[in-house]
Amino acid sequence: MNIRGFTKFAFVLTIVTLIAGLTACDQIQQILPPPQMEGLSGEIPIGVVLAQTGQYAAPYGLSMLDGFELAREHINNSGVLGDAKITFITEDDQSESAIEAVNKLIHEDGVSAIVGFAISTQLEQVIPIAEENGVVCFSSLASAAGLSALSEFVFRTGLPTNVLNPEGIRVSQEKLGYQRAALIYDEDDVYSTSSNEEVSKALAASGVDIVITETIQSKATDQGKATDFRQQLTRIMDTNPDAVFISALSTQMTEIMIQGREVGIPASVPYIVPELTGNEVEGAKGAADGAIAFTNWSATADTPGNQAFVQNYLAKYGIEADTWAAQSYATLYILAEAIENAQSIEATAVRDALANTMDFPTVMGNFSFDEVGDAVYNPIVLTVENGELVAFE
């Protein structure tokens, strides 16, 4: 992987306030040395940071944890790492900042690699810590454009918005022929603003007219503004768009789809929702029918080990796997492969092995990292029919 010197210099200038906000105790703590290994044996401690409580637990964190746990079981039973066994030190970010959890894992538990990080806003906050302490942070979900480039210790499994959204727009616009697009996004969320920016650029490049852009504020606390978007959606309806693009996290995404139909946006105008999953489709009920999703994984895909994963997940948990479980399952396998190749759990060695990942078979498809630590594989476009996500083409 490139050292990314210029990018790192620019990033240092932007993170001063974040670092300054840490407590004096956090700033002076020393990193515990990672366990040293002659080859691979014993326990390999991996930090896991995700939401087990709060608003992000049900739509993201709990299925992520299930995916990680299933992968750990399979890896440990398969002998991929020889006699070594992966163990987890799991921290609940409580759907808030991940800074405290990451600092604990680094300074108290001495881990050299941490997985998880559903929300781009949270990943952005901990990148300075990963860079300063030289610890691998491997996000299975966060997809705002540009984050991996901010530190050579940061990697991501999900395709970033600057890859996923342009390809989804190319495929969907070619088939549907929409020419007038309305956009609505959450300006309080890093992923949502990144998604909307990439949607805007891709639509402009395709010659599609953006007739209106509306914003919501998911952090608003007065008069129900965080959940009532009818005024914005009524203005969108009045512009008579051919398609409505929604960039938001799960709760807001679902409410926008429901309220849009309630205010009169006709079912003939499709919602186009990057990273829409079955959870939001189920929550929106009939309001999601006809929606288009840009995504990273499908339960029906003929990718390496995918059908076995789908069956094993159902057998273990009694529910169908979702995208976030699949991406987390793949993440741990990719990390385990890097540890095996490095024959070490020292962070720099693992980082270098991850950077050299090329065409590694996963449930996402053959997986590689690009020069900044972002995923490379084929995106998928799905549509909602009768309450189910199915192939768009």
Side-chain angles (χ1 to χ4, degrees):
M1 178 176 293
N2 294 340
I3 298 302
R4 314 171 194 167
F6 176 80
T7 305
K8 286 166 59 181
F9 173 74
F11 180 57
V12 167
L13 297 181
T14 68
I15 65 175
V16 170
T17 54
L18 275 174
I19 295 174
L22 301 176
T23 66
C25 178
D26 289 332
Q27 293 182 41
I28 64 173
Q29 283 177 306
Q30 299 298 312
I31 311 171
L32 294 178
Q36 299 301 306
M37 308 175 70
E38 294 294 336
L40 293 174
S41 62
E43 293 186 348
I44 299 176
I46 303 295
V48 181
V49 176
L50 42 69
Q52 294 177 278
T53 56
Q55 62 176 324
Y56 300 139
Y60 303 109
L62 298 181
S63 61
M64 290 170 65
L65 185 56
D66 287 345
F68 285 133
E69 290 285 5
L70 185 61
R72 179 175 67 152
E73 177 184 312
H74 289 173
I75 291 166
N76 286 348
N77 289 340
S78 69
V80 167
L81 296 171
D83 294 332
K85 304 294 183 184
I86 291 175
T87 61
F88 286 157
I89 304 172
T90 304
E91 294 293 330
D92 179 8
D93 64 31
Q94 301 178 345
S95 300
E96 300 292 342
S97 170
I99 290 174
E100 182 178 350
V102 168
N103 274 321
K104 176 185 178 297
L105 288 168
I106 294 173
H107 299 303
E108 296 182 23
D109 300 309
V111 302
S112 56
I114 306 172
V115 298
F117 308 109
I119 308 303
S120 293
T121 302
Q122 295 176 337
L123 179 61
E124 184 180 59
Q125 291 172 340
V126 301
I127 289 174
I129 304 172
E131 177 69 9
E132 180 183 16
N133 293 286
V135 171
V136 170
C137 281
F138 192 173
S139 170
S140 54
L141 268 65
S143 58
L147 295 184
S148 297
L150 301 179
S151 170
E152 59 188 7
F153 286 93
V154 173
F155 298 83
R156 297 187 289 174
T157 304
L159 294 169
T161 59
N162 58 308
V163 173
L164 191 63
N165 291 3
E167 177 62 12
I169 286 170
R170 183 193 68 78
V171 171
S172 60
Q173 205 273 335
E174 183 177 278
K175 183 172 181 179
L176 299 180
Y178 47 81
Q179 293 298 320
R180 293 169 49 82
L183 281 56
I184 183 168
Y185 73 98
D186 180 2
E187 64 181 2
D188 286 343
D189 175 63
V190 170
Y191 157 73
S192 303
T193 56
S194 174
S195 173
N196 185 74
E197 180 179 354
E198 299 303 330
V199 165
S200 300
K201 291 191 292 189
L203 289 173
S206 299
V208 177
D209 184 21
I210 300 174
V211 296
I212 189 172
T213 299
E214 290 285 344
T215 63
I216 65 171
Q217 295 80 38
S218 60
K219 295 180 181 177
T221 57
D222 59 323
Q223 300 178 356
K225 288 183 179 180
T227 56
D228 186 352
F229 315 122
R230 290 173 177 82
Q231 290 185 358
Q232 296 96 318
L233 291 162
T234 298
R235 290 193 291 268
I236 284 174
M237 180 187 64
D238 290 342
T239 66
N240 192 30
D242 298 329
V244 177
F245 285 79
I246 302 170
S247 294
L249 296 179
S250 182
T251 299
Q252 291 73 32
M253 183 193 300
T254 302
E255 285 300 322
I256 288 170
M257 289 190 288
I258 293 171
Q259 293 175 26
R261 299 303 184 215
E262 288 177 348
V263 302
I265 297 175
S268 59
V269 176
Y271 295 131
I272 302 182
V273 193
E275 304 201 23
L276 174 71
T277 75
N279 291 328
E280 293 81 39
V281 172
E282 182 179 359
K285 303 188 185 301
D289 280 351
I292 310 297
F294 309 156
T295 188
N296 305 294
W297 175 83
S298 169
T300 61
D302 187 23
T303 47
N306 192 43
Q307 293 312 306
F309 161 72
V310 170
Q311 294 167 15
N312 290 330
Y313 190 94
L314 180 61
K316 184 174 179 66
Y317 299 114
I319 57 174
E320 294 182 354
D322 65 12
T323 302
W324 313 137
Q327 289 180 206
S328 298
Y329 183 87
T331 296
L332 197 66
Y333 262 94
I334 296 163
L335 179 60
E337 173 73 2
I339 292 170
E340 197 278 331
N341 287 339
Q343 285 293 295
S344 171
I345 60 170
E346 191 275 323
T348 301
V350 174
R351 177 203 67 190
D352 293 344
L354 281 171
N356 289 321
T357 300
M358 182 65 65
D359 292 330
F360 179 65
T362 75
V363 297
M364 320 300 296
N366 287 341
F367 187 102
S368 304
F369 284 116
D370 67 12
E371 67 278 4
V372 299
D374 277 333
V376 178
Y377 54 90
N378 293 325
I380 298 172
V381 182
L382 303 174
T383 188
V384 180
E385 292 182 1
N386 300 317
E388 299 289 337
L389 283 164
V390 300
F392 182 64
E393 296 184 299

